[in-house]
Amino acid sequence: MEEEQLIETKKSSSGGDTKILLIVLAVLIVFCAYFFGYRNLTAMNDKLDSEIKALNTRYSNLKIMEANVDQYEADTVTYNSSFDNIVAQYDTGYSQEHSIMFINDMEKTNETWVSNASLGDSNDVYTFGQITSTNPYGSGGTVYTSDYKGYQTVLGLTYRCTYEDFKKLLDYINNYDYKCTIESLSAAYEAGSGLVMGNITLDTFAITGEDRPFDNETINGVTQGTENIFLSEYSTDGSGSDSAGNNIITDYDLYLTLQSSTSNVGALTIGLRNDASGVSVIKNADNTVKDVTIKFTGTVGSYCVSYEIDGVTFPEEEYEAGALFEPGDILSILVPSSSRTDDDDLSGANVTLINESDMQLQVKVTNDDPENPRFVLEKSEGDVVVY
């Protein structure tokens, strides 16, 4: 009896263990199914849902772009044209030869004396095509590729000119054919001579590229040789310098004397050298600064001159046509001046020189007052050199 009960107890215990094992096995199967199956499938579905969402967004954007493709093409043409116009405002390169020609043209155009110039090297200041794209489908890339590079060249100039020419100088720089800016400027006005003087630092810019060839060949047509490289070919320094043009003292066509109003010859006298009759002479004895205009016209064999002081003209008739005369080997004016006697000595001349002839007009000013010159070159036109 006891043996039978023991056997039953063992059978019952064995059946319970089996049930426990089956339950544990079922739990393991469910866990493995979740861990290795369901979770991975869910993650894959989430990934696919995210990709589908991104693709749907891109599809919607592309549909909008497709609808506006004509506008994009028109905008591209407009922007490319604007880009080309902006780039065209920059020179294709720079060199010291071009810097010298720039200064030479600036002097000639604005009748400005550049007494000192420092030429700097060109510096690479900008590389095109290095802008990172903000397009979400091209993130990290550059907007475009280009071999263009931007260069900056700094020029330092010391200048001297009349106030009117100073305004022309600034306008010339600000409206130059290619990009050119004023980095710094100093200007001082000298009341006695009516001249403006100072320093300018200029920044000139260039954009180089394979499709923008730079012409750096030898520059032709430049005048070579001068009696003094420190004197301007186009403008006086206002000091009455006697360092050049001495041949004019003995070989001149017209004279303009500037003296004190109390002198025996008067404050201002102008006339032709070989005029024995004196019909070409105009005098003025006022103790004031007078406006004087002298004009030369003509070609070989037929030269004419006309001049005016305070409303008095030579010739009196047919003033615009001028009077015939025969110049010497050079077309020249001698201006014998003098130092001022005192602070009340105010006589002088604001002179306008117009040369429309085929000869160079050379003017020699002698013995002028070094601090308050009587001779002031107000304006000149044509090929004019003042010593």
Side-chain angles (χ1 to χ4, degrees):
M1 186 69 173
E2 290 178 358
E3 292 180 357
E4 290 179 357
Q5 289 179 348
L6 182 59
I7 292 171
E8 288 294 331
T9 300
K10 289 182 177 180
K11 287 182 178 181
S12 175
S13 175
S14 177
D17 292 340
T18 301
K19 289 180 180 180
I20 292 172
L21 290 173
L22 290 174
I23 291 172
V24 172
L25 181 62
V27 171
L28 287 174
I29 293 173
V30 171
F31 176 78
C32 290
Y34 172 79
F35 188 82
F36 296 105
Y38 175 78
R39 195 177 71 165
N40 290 342
L41 289 174
T42 301
M44 186 177 295
N45 285 337
D46 291 343
K47 181 180 179 182
L48 290 174
D49 287 341
S50 179
E51 291 179 356
I52 291 172
K53 184 178 180 180
L55 290 172
N56 283 335
T57 301
R58 183 177 183 184
Y59 174 77
S60 299
N61 290 335
L62 291 175
K63 290 291 291 184
I64 295 174
M65 293 179 184
E66 182 184 24
N68 295 305
V69 65
D70 292 340
Q71 182 63 46
Y72 295 150
E73 290 177 349
D75 289 345
T76 299
V77 172
T78 300
Y79 295 145
N80 284 338
S81 177
S82 297
F83 176 82
D84 292 339
N85 290 336
I86 293 173
V87 171
Q89 297 175 17
Y90 292 78
D91 208 343
T92 57
Y94 222 80
S95 66
Q96 288 196 346
E97 292 86 352
H98 279 68
S99 295
I100 293 171
M101 288 305 299
F102 171 78
I103 296 170
N104 184 72
D105 290 340
M106 185 171 64
E107 273 196 313
K108 182 176 181 180
T109 303
N110 304 284
E111 300 176 25
T112 299
W113 180 35
V114 176
S115 59
N116 183 59
S118 61
L119 310 180
D121 294 329
S122 294
N123 299 312
D124 184 354
V125 294
Y126 188 79
T127 300
F128 288 73
Q130 301 302 306
I131 300 176
T132 303
S133 174
T134 58
N135 189 323
Y137 307 112
S139 180
T142 55
V143 175
Y144 65 97
T145 59
S146 174
D147 67 339
Y148 281 4
K149 287 188 176 181
Y151 287 88
Q152 175 192 38
T153 306
V154 180
L155 301 179
L157 308 176
T158 300
Y159 69 92
R160 190 182 183 102
C161 59
T162 66
Y163 178 69
E164 289 300 320
D165 290 327
F166 175 65
K167 293 190 291 183
K168 293 178 184 177
L169 175 65
L170 298 183
D171 183 69
Y172 178 83
I173 295 172
N174 290 328
N175 295 283
Y176 188 60
D177 293 340
Y178 299 111
K179 188 68 173 179
C180 178
T181 61
I182 298 175
E183 181 176 310
S184 64
L185 169 69
S186 67
Y189 182 71
E190 188 178 72
S193 63
L195 298 178
V196 179
M197 60 202 73
N199 299 290
I200 301 178
T201 301
L202 298 179
D203 288 333
T204 58
F205 299 91
I207 296 177
T208 65
E210 185 177 354
D211 62 342
R212 290 174 58 80
F214 175 51
D215 182 12
N216 195 28
E217 297 179 356
T218 301
I219 301 172
N220 297 317
V222 179
T223 303
Q224 298 182 6
T226 178
E227 293 184 17
N228 189 333
I229 63 173
F230 297 102
L231 291 180
S232 171
E233 181 181 354
Y234 308 108
S235 176
T236 178
D237 66 354
S239 67
S241 172
D242 194 35
S243 60
N246 292 321
N247 57 324
I248 299 175
I249 296 176
T250 57
D251 181 15
Y252 60 90
D253 304 302
L254 186 75
Y255 61 89
L256 170 63
T257 62
L258 301 174
Q259 306 293 323
S260 169
S261 61
T262 59
S263 68
N264 294 331
V265 296
L268 192 156
T269 305
I270 186 172
L272 291 172
R273 177 180 185 180
N274 296 319
D275 178 20
S277 63
V279 296
S280 67
V281 177
I282 298 177
K283 293 185 177 183
N284 189 287
D286 295 343
N287 187 30
T288 58
V289 176
K290 296 297 182 179
D291 292 330
V292 178
T293 300
I294 305 173
K295 180 179 180 180
F296 293 90
T297 60
T299 56
V300 177
S302 179
Y303 292 95
C304 293
V305 62
S306 59
Y307 41 88
E308 176 183 1
I309 302 175
D310 204 22
V312 181
T313 66
F314 173 79
E316 294 183 7
E317 299 179 0
E318 297 183 353
Y319 169 73
E320 294 298 329
L324 286 171
F325 81 108
E326 185 176 349
D329 295 333
I330 57 174
L331 181 62
S332 57
I333 302 174
L334 177 63
V335 184
S337 187
S338 63
S339 297
R340 298 188 182 275
T341 57
D342 51 42
D343 292 341
D344 295 327
D345 184 358
L346 305 177
S347 64
N350 288 331
V351 181
T352 297
L353 301 174
I354 303 174
N355 183 18
E356 296 179 353
S357 73
D358 61 353
M359 298 179 69
Q360 182 184 70
L361 174 60
Q362 300 184 28
V363 182
K364 176 66 175 179
V365 182
T366 64
N367 302 320
D368 206 355
D369 191 289
E371 296 182 1
N372 187 7
R374 297 183 190 275
F375 177 92
V376 175
L377 181 61
E378 184 74 15
K379 179 181 179 182
S380 68
E381 296 179 8
D383 192 359
V384 177
V385 178
V386 178
Y387 302 109

mmCIF file of all heavy atoms in Angstrom, residues 81-112:
data_model
loop_
_atom_site.group_PDB
_atom_site.id
_atom_site.type_symbol
_atom_site.label_atom_id
_atom_site.label_comp_id
_atom_site.label_asym_id
_atom_site.label_seq_id
_atom_site.Cartn_x
_atom_site.Cartn_y
_atom_site.Cartn_z
ATOM 1 N N SER A 81 23.433 86.328 -66.545
ATOM 2 C CA SER A 81 23.706 87.613 -67.185
ATOM 3 C C SER A 81 24.177 88.634 -66.155
ATOM 4 O O SER A 81 25.133 89.386 -66.396
ATOM 5 C CB SER A 81 22.454 88.125 -67.889
ATOM 6 O OG SER A 81 22.672 89.403 -68.450
ATOM 7 N N SER A 82 23.535 88.656 -64.973
ATOM 8 C CA SER A 82 23.943 89.574 -63.909
ATOM 9 C C SER A 82 25.357 89.251 -63.445
ATOM 10 O O SER A 82 26.167 90.156 -63.198
ATOM 11 C CB SER A 82 22.966 89.481 -62.733
ATOM 12 O OG SER A 82 21.669 89.879 -63.116
ATOM 13 N N PHE A 83 25.662 87.965 -63.327
ATOM 14 C CA PHE A 83 26.998 87.542 -62.911
ATOM 15 C C PHE A 83 28.042 88.009 -63.917
ATOM 16 O O PHE A 83 29.088 88.558 -63.544
ATOM 17 C CB PHE A 83 27.034 86.027 -62.767
ATOM 18 C CG PHE A 83 28.397 85.474 -62.428
ATOM 19 C CD1 PHE A 83 28.854 85.482 -61.123
ATOM 20 C CD2 PHE A 83 29.216 84.954 -63.419
ATOM 21 C CE1 PHE A 83 30.109 84.978 -60.811
ATOM 22 C CE2 PHE A 83 30.474 84.451 -63.110
ATOM 23 C CZ PHE A 83 30.903 84.462 -61.808
ATOM 24 N N ASP A 84 27.749 87.807 -65.207
ATOM 25 C CA ASP A 84 28.697 88.222 -66.252
ATOM 26 C C ASP A 84 28.895 89.732 -66.235
ATOM 27 O O ASP A 84 30.019 90.217 -66.437
ATOM 28 C CB ASP A 84 28.194 87.773 -67.622
ATOM 29 C CG ASP A 84 28.221 86.256 -67.784
ATOM 30 O OD1 ASP A 84 28.965 85.597 -67.040
ATOM 31 O OD2 ASP A 84 27.481 85.740 -68.649
ATOM 32 N N ASN A 85 27.809 90.486 -66.000
ATOM 33 C CA ASN A 85 27.925 91.945 -65.968
ATOM 34 C C ASN A 85 28.775 92.408 -64.786
ATOM 35 O O ASN A 85 29.557 93.363 -64.900
ATOM 36 C CB ASN A 85 26.534 92.577 -65.885
ATOM 37 C CG ASN A 85 25.743 92.429 -67.164
ATOM 38 O OD1 ASN A 85 26.317 92.267 -68.244
ATOM 39 N ND2 ASN A 85 24.428 92.451 -67.066
ATOM 40 N N ILE A 86 28.626 91.745 -63.647
ATOM 41 C CA ILE A 86 29.416 92.113 -62.469
ATOM 42 C C ILE A 86 30.885 91.783 -62.693
ATOM 43 O O ILE A 86 31.775 92.595 -62.417
ATOM 44 C CB ILE A 86 28.879 91.393 -61.218
ATOM 45 C CG1 ILE A 86 27.483 91.923 -60.865
ATOM 46 C CG2 ILE A 86 29.831 91.584 -60.044
ATOM 47 C CD1 ILE A 86 26.807 91.158 -59.751
ATOM 48 N N VAL A 87 31.160 90.594 -63.228
ATOM 49 C CA VAL A 87 32.546 90.182 -63.468
ATOM 50 C C VAL A 87 33.204 91.103 -64.496
ATOM 51 O O VAL A 87 34.397 91.416 -64.382
ATOM 52 C CB VAL A 87 32.595 88.716 -63.943
ATOM 53 C CG1 VAL A 87 33.999 88.340 -64.402
ATOM 54 C CG2 VAL A 87 32.161 87.786 -62.818
ATOM 55 N N ALA A 88 32.439 91.582 -65.470
ATOM 56 C CA ALA A 88 32.985 92.458 -66.514
ATOM 57 C C ALA A 88 33.462 93.791 -65.948
ATOM 58 O O ALA A 88 34.238 94.496 -66.604
ATOM 59 C CB ALA A 88 31.947 92.692 -67.602
ATOM 60 N N GLN A 89 33.009 94.142 -64.742
ATOM 61 C CA GLN A 89 33.442 95.397 -64.127
ATOM 62 C C GLN A 89 34.846 95.287 -63.532
ATOM 63 O O GLN A 89 35.400 96.292 -63.076
ATOM 64 C CB GLN A 89 32.454 95.795 -63.034
ATOM 65 C CG GLN A 89 31.050 96.082 -63.548
ATOM 66 C CD GLN A 89 30.064 96.358 -62.424
ATOM 67 O OE1 GLN A 89 30.452 96.641 -61.294
ATOM 68 N NE2 GLN A 89 28.785 96.264 -62.731
ATOM 69 N N TYR A 90 35.402 94.085 -63.524
ATOM 70 C CA TYR A 90 36.734 93.866 -62.979
ATOM 71 C C TYR A 90 37.725 93.606 -64.116
ATOM 72 O O TYR A 90 37.385 92.922 -65.094
ATOM 73 C CB TYR A 90 36.737 92.672 -62.027
ATOM 74 C CG TYR A 90 35.957 92.906 -60.755
ATOM 75 C CD1 TYR A 90 34.569 92.839 -60.752
ATOM 76 C CD2 TYR A 90 36.607 93.202 -59.571
ATOM 77 C CE1 TYR A 90 33.846 93.058 -59.589
ATOM 78 C CE2 TYR A 90 35.899 93.416 -58.394
ATOM 79 C CZ TYR A 90 34.520 93.346 -58.411
ATOM 80 O OH TYR A 90 33.801 93.570 -57.268
ATOM 81 N N ASP A 91 38.930 94.142 -63.985
ATOM 82 C CA ASP A 91 39.970 93.900 -64.975
ATOM 83 C C ASP A 91 40.340 92.422 -64.974
ATOM 84 O O ASP A 91 40.050 91.684 -64.022
ATOM 85 C CB ASP A 91 41.195 94.752 -64.660
ATOM 86 C CG ASP A 91 41.997 95.081 -65.916
ATOM 87 O OD1 ASP A 91 41.791 94.390 -66.928
ATOM 88 O OD2 ASP A 91 42.802 96.016 -65.877
ATOM 89 N N THR A 92 40.979 91.970 -66.059
ATOM 90 C CA THR A 92 41.322 90.554 -66.178
ATOM 91 C C THR A 92 42.671 90.221 -65.548
ATOM 92 O O THR A 92 43.103 89.064 -65.594
ATOM 93 C CB THR A 92 41.332 90.142 -67.665
ATOM 94 O OG1 THR A 92 42.252 90.984 -68.380
ATOM 95 C CG2 THR A 92 39.948 90.278 -68.266
ATOM 96 N N GLY A 93 43.320 91.202 -64.986
ATOM 97 C CA GLY A 93 44.614 90.975 -64.346
ATOM 98 C C GLY A 93 45.255 92.307 -64.028
ATOM 99 O O GLY A 93 44.688 93.374 -64.317
ATOM 100 N N TYR A 94 46.431 92.263 -63.421
ATOM 101 C CA TYR A 94 47.111 93.505 -63.071
ATOM 102 C C TYR A 94 48.619 93.279 -63.051
ATOM 103 O O TYR A 94 49.083 92.182 -62.749
ATOM 104 C CB TYR A 94 46.640 94.013 -61.705
ATOM 105 C CG TYR A 94 46.414 95.503 -61.689
ATOM 106 C CD1 TYR A 94 45.249 96.045 -62.213
ATOM 107 C CD2 TYR A 94 47.359 96.379 -61.179
ATOM 108 C CE1 TYR A 94 45.024 97.407 -62.214
ATOM 109 C CE2 TYR A 94 47.151 97.744 -61.168
ATOM 110 C CZ TYR A 94 45.978 98.251 -61.686
ATOM 111 O OH TYR A 94 45.765 99.602 -61.696
ATOM 112 N N SER A 95 49.348 94.317 -63.386
ATOM 113 C CA SER A 95 50.810 94.258 -63.375
ATOM 114 C C SER A 95 51.328 95.655 -63.077
ATOM 115 O O SER A 95 50.578 96.631 -63.107
ATOM 116 C CB SER A 95 51.339 93.774 -64.734
ATOM 117 O OG SER A 95 51.050 94.729 -65.741
ATOM 118 N N GLN A 96 52.610 95.768 -62.804
ATOM 119 C CA GLN A 96 53.182 97.084 -62.529
ATOM 120 C C GLN A 96 53.131 97.970 -63.770
ATOM 121 O O GLN A 96 52.970 99.192 -63.657
ATOM 122 C CB GLN A 96 54.616 96.942 -62.024
ATOM 123 C CG GLN A 96 54.712 96.386 -60.612
ATOM 124 C CD GLN A 96 56.068 96.602 -59.983
ATOM 125 O OE1 GLN A 96 57.031 96.928 -60.653
ATOM 126 N NE2 GLN A 96 56.139 96.416 -58.674
ATOM 127 N N GLU A 97 53.258 97.346 -64.952
ATOM 128 C CA GLU A 97 53.153 98.139 -66.190
ATOM 129 C C GLU A 97 51.774 98.780 -66.288
ATOM 130 O O GLU A 97 51.641 99.958 -66.641
ATOM 131 C CB GLU A 97 53.399 97.259 -67.413
ATOM 132 C CG GLU A 97 54.828 96.751 -67.556
ATOM 133 C CD GLU A 97 55.081 95.472 -66.792
ATOM 134 O OE1 GLU A 97 54.186 95.044 -66.027
ATOM 135 O OE2 GLU A 97 56.158 94.885 -66.954
ATOM 136 N N HIS A 98 50.743 98.002 -65.963
ATOM 137 C CA HIS A 98 49.391 98.545 -66.016
ATOM 138 C C HIS A 98 49.173 99.588 -64.916
ATOM 139 O O HIS A 98 48.421 100.547 -65.112
ATOM 140 C CB HIS A 98 48.366 97.417 -65.895
ATOM 141 C CG HIS A 98 48.129 96.699 -67.185
ATOM 142 N ND1 HIS A 98 49.086 95.907 -67.771
ATOM 143 C CD2 HIS A 98 47.044 96.661 -68.008
ATOM 144 C CE1 HIS A 98 48.611 95.404 -68.902
ATOM 145 N NE2 HIS A 98 47.373 95.841 -69.069
ATOM 146 N N SER A 99 49.804 99.411 -63.773
ATOM 147 C CA SER A 99 49.703 100.416 -62.715
ATOM 148 C C SER A 99 50.290 101.742 -63.184
ATOM 149 O O SER A 99 49.712 102.812 -62.950
ATOM 150 C CB SER A 99 50.444 99.942 -61.459
ATOM 151 O OG SER A 99 49.835 98.796 -60.907
ATOM 152 N N ILE A 100 51.429 101.676 -63.848
ATOM 153 C CA ILE A 100 52.074 102.893 -64.353
ATOM 154 C C ILE A 100 51.199 103.575 -65.397
ATOM 155 O O ILE A 100 51.041 104.802 -65.397
ATOM 156 C CB ILE A 100 53.458 102.557 -64.936
ATOM 157 C CG1 ILE A 100 54.397 102.107 -63.800
ATOM 158 C CG2 ILE A 100 54.052 103.755 -65.663
ATOM 159 C CD1 ILE A 100 55.713 101.554 -64.282
ATOM 160 N N MET A 101 50.596 102.782 -66.294
ATOM 161 C CA MET A 101 49.726 103.364 -67.311
ATOM 162 C C MET A 101 48.473 103.965 -66.685
ATOM 163 O O MET A 101 47.980 105.005 -67.129
ATOM 164 C CB MET A 101 49.344 102.295 -68.339
ATOM 165 C CG MET A 101 50.475 101.879 -69.257
ATOM 166 S SD MET A 101 51.219 103.287 -70.126
ATOM 167 C CE MET A 101 49.813 103.900 -71.051
ATOM 168 N N PHE A 102 47.964 103.319 -65.636
ATOM 169 C CA PHE A 102 46.802 103.852 -64.922
ATOM 170 C C PHE A 102 47.126 105.224 -64.332
ATOM 171 O O PHE A 102 46.344 106.177 -64.455
ATOM 172 C CB PHE A 102 46.382 102.875 -63.826
ATOM 173 C CG PHE A 102 45.331 103.420 -62.891
ATOM 174 C CD1 PHE A 102 44.008 103.475 -63.270
ATOM 175 C CD2 PHE A 102 45.684 103.884 -61.628
ATOM 176 C CE1 PHE A 102 43.034 103.972 -62.410
ATOM 177 C CE2 PHE A 102 44.730 104.385 -60.762
ATOM 178 C CZ PHE A 102 43.403 104.424 -61.158
ATOM 179 N N ILE A 103 48.286 105.341 -63.697
ATOM 180 C CA ILE A 103 48.699 106.615 -63.111
ATOM 181 C C ILE A 103 48.923 107.653 -64.202
ATOM 182 O O ILE A 103 48.535 108.825 -64.071
ATOM 183 C CB ILE A 103 49.972 106.418 -62.267
ATOM 184 C CG1 ILE A 103 49.689 105.490 -61.080
ATOM 185 C CG2 ILE A 103 50.499 107.763 -61.775
ATOM 186 C CD1 ILE A 103 50.927 105.065 -60.337
ATOM 187 N N ASN A 104 49.547 107.240 -65.311
ATOM 188 C CA ASN A 104 49.810 108.152 -66.426
ATOM 189 C C ASN A 104 48.513 108.700 -67.004
ATOM 190 O O ASN A 104 48.373 109.906 -67.234
ATOM 191 C CB ASN A 104 50.603 107.411 -67.509
ATOM 192 C CG ASN A 104 50.986 108.321 -68.661
ATOM 193 O OD1 ASN A 104 51.837 109.174 -68.533
ATOM 194 N ND2 ASN A 104 50.346 108.115 -69.806
ATOM 195 N N ASP A 105 47.533 107.809 -67.203
ATOM 196 C CA ASP A 105 46.238 108.251 -67.746
ATOM 197 C C ASP A 105 45.497 109.129 -66.748
ATOM 198 O O ASP A 105 44.807 110.079 -67.137
ATOM 199 C CB ASP A 105 45.377 107.035 -68.100
ATOM 200 C CG ASP A 105 45.914 106.274 -69.293
ATOM 201 O OD1 ASP A 105 46.699 106.856 -70.063
ATOM 202 O OD2 ASP A 105 45.563 105.089 -69.459
ATOM 203 N N MET A 106 45.635 108.824 -65.464
ATOM 204 C CA MET A 106 44.979 109.624 -64.436
ATOM 205 C C MET A 106 45.546 111.040 -64.413
ATOM 206 O O MET A 106 44.808 112.022 -64.299
ATOM 207 C CB MET A 106 45.151 108.963 -63.066
ATOM 208 C CG MET A 106 44.409 109.655 -61.937
ATOM 209 S SD MET A 106 44.434 108.680 -60.414
ATOM 210 C CE MET A 106 46.202 108.700 -60.070
ATOM 211 N N GLU A 107 46.861 111.166 -64.545
ATOM 212 C CA GLU A 107 47.489 112.487 -64.621
ATOM 213 C C GLU A 107 46.992 113.251 -65.841
ATOM 214 O O GLU A 107 46.617 114.423 -65.761
ATOM 215 C CB GLU A 107 49.007 112.333 -64.704
ATOM 216 C CG GLU A 107 49.715 112.242 -63.386
ATOM 217 C CD GLU A 107 51.206 112.493 -63.540
ATOM 218 O OE1 GLU A 107 51.826 111.906 -64.444
ATOM 219 O OE2 GLU A 107 51.749 113.283 -62.767
ATOM 220 N N LYS A 108 47.023 112.570 -66.991
ATOM 221 C CA LYS A 108 46.703 113.228 -68.257
ATOM 222 C C LYS A 108 45.243 113.655 -68.309
ATOM 223 O O LYS A 108 44.936 114.773 -68.747
ATOM 224 C CB LYS A 108 47.009 112.265 -69.413
ATOM 225 C CG LYS A 108 46.765 112.863 -70.789
ATOM 226 C CD LYS A 108 47.176 111.874 -71.869
ATOM 227 C CE LYS A 108 46.969 112.460 -73.248
ATOM 228 N NZ LYS A 108 47.366 111.490 -74.310
ATOM 229 N N THR A 109 44.352 112.782 -67.865
ATOM 230 C CA THR A 109 42.918 113.053 -67.958
ATOM 231 C C THR A 109 42.487 114.159 -67.010
ATOM 232 O O THR A 109 41.624 114.969 -67.340
ATOM 233 C CB THR A 109 42.115 111.780 -67.654
ATOM 234 O OG1 THR A 109 42.516 110.747 -68.563
ATOM 235 C CG2 THR A 109 40.621 112.021 -67.811
ATOM 236 N N ASN A 110 43.103 114.219 -65.825
ATOM 237 C CA ASN A 110 42.651 115.146 -64.794
ATOM 238 C C ASN A 110 43.632 116.278 -64.508
ATOM 239 O O ASN A 110 43.443 117.023 -63.551
ATOM 240 C CB ASN A 110 42.402 114.367 -63.500
ATOM 241 C CG ASN A 110 41.427 113.233 -63.689
ATOM 242 O OD1 ASN A 110 40.224 113.449 -63.789
ATOM 243 N ND2 ASN A 110 41.933 112.011 -63.779
ATOM 244 N N GLU A 111 44.696 116.379 -65.332
ATOM 245 C CA GLU A 111 45.685 117.434 -65.175
ATOM 246 C C GLU A 111 46.184 117.486 -63.729
ATOM 247 O O GLU A 111 46.222 118.531 -63.079
ATOM 248 C CB GLU A 111 45.109 118.769 -65.604
ATOM 249 C CG GLU A 111 44.675 118.776 -67.064
ATOM 250 C CD GLU A 111 44.018 120.069 -67.480
ATOM 251 O OE1 GLU A 111 44.300 121.099 -66.835
ATOM 252 O OE2 GLU A 111 43.244 120.057 -68.434
ATOM 253 N N THR A 112 46.529 116.318 -63.241
ATOM 254 C CA THR A 112 46.985 116.163 -61.862
ATOM 255 C C THR A 112 48.448 115.740 -61.857
ATOM 256 O O THR A 112 48.859 114.905 -62.653
ATOM 257 C CB THR A 112 46.134 115.095 -61.151
ATOM 258 O OG1 THR A 112 44.772 115.522 -61.134
ATOM 259 C CG2 THR A 112 46.612 114.878 -59.727
#
